[in-house]
Amino acid sequence: MPSEEKLSAKVSTAASDMASDIGSFIRSQRENAQVSVRQLAERAGVSNPYLSQVERGLRKPSADVLSQIAKALRVSAEVLYVRAGILEPSEGSQVRDAIVTDTAISERQKQVLLDIYASFTFHNESIREECATQSDPAPGSKAAGDFGANHLGDV
């Protein structure tokens, strides 16, 4: 039975670490938004002591509570779900991760940057798909988006 006890201890420690991680993340987002614990608790519809316990890693909030907190903080619920270990991270993007975790910009600014980034990546993917479905271009013609150093004079 000692191996079962070790496994139980590891699982308990991992759950505690996740609760602490989500709590510290919520705290940092709250502080960046310049909102008190009491104000955030009120906006999220949870009690002040409960939110304080979440921030200190003593409680792990449910998905519903995380959603309420996300709305109150004006952040994506998905970000909180991933931080809490409820969701697996979507396809990794260092750019998205950097934007979401940047403390120097507001949540609104983050959302605008994420929207712009998404539009660029969507546009570039569309071009790649177009190029892949077209046959080889005729000699001397340029594929969409092909503006290398050799073509700078053509632009």
Side-chain angles (χ1 to χ4, degrees), residues 73-136:
L73 287 171
R74 295 184 178 170
V75 298
S76 163
E78 181 183 1
V79 170
L80 294 186
Y81 293 160
V82 169
R83 285 282 187 156
I86 294 172
L87 276 181
E88 289 296 315
S90 56
E91 156 187 329
S93 166
Q94 291 178 342
V95 173
R96 279 190 222 111
D97 292 346
I99 292 169
V100 168
T101 58
D102 194 323
T103 58
I105 58 177
S106 72
E107 292 309 313
R108 175 73 181 124
Q109 291 166 332
K110 289 177 188 182
Q111 192 56 55
V112 169
L113 285 173
L114 289 170
D115 290 345
I116 292 169
Y117 180 71
S119 72
F120 285 158
T121 57
F122 178 77
H123 175 75
N124 291 344
E125 185 60 33
S126 298
I127 290 172
R128 276 189 221 103
E129 288 174 5
E130 252 181 59
C131 290
T133 58
Q134 294 175 352
S135 60
D136 291 336

Side-chain angles (χ1 to χ4, degrees), residues 19-31 35-37 40 49-59 61 69 73:
S20 178
D21 181 51
I22 187 61
S24 61
F25 182 75
I26 289 170
R27 175 184 287 131
S28 71
Q29 293 299 306
R30 177 183 58 75
E31 289 171 349
V35 175
S36 70
V37 174
L40 180 57
Y50 177 78
L51 182 59
S52 177
Q53 290 174 348
V54 167
E55 284 191 356
R56 290 181 288 146
L58 301 175
R59 293 215 181 207
I69 292 171
L73 287 171

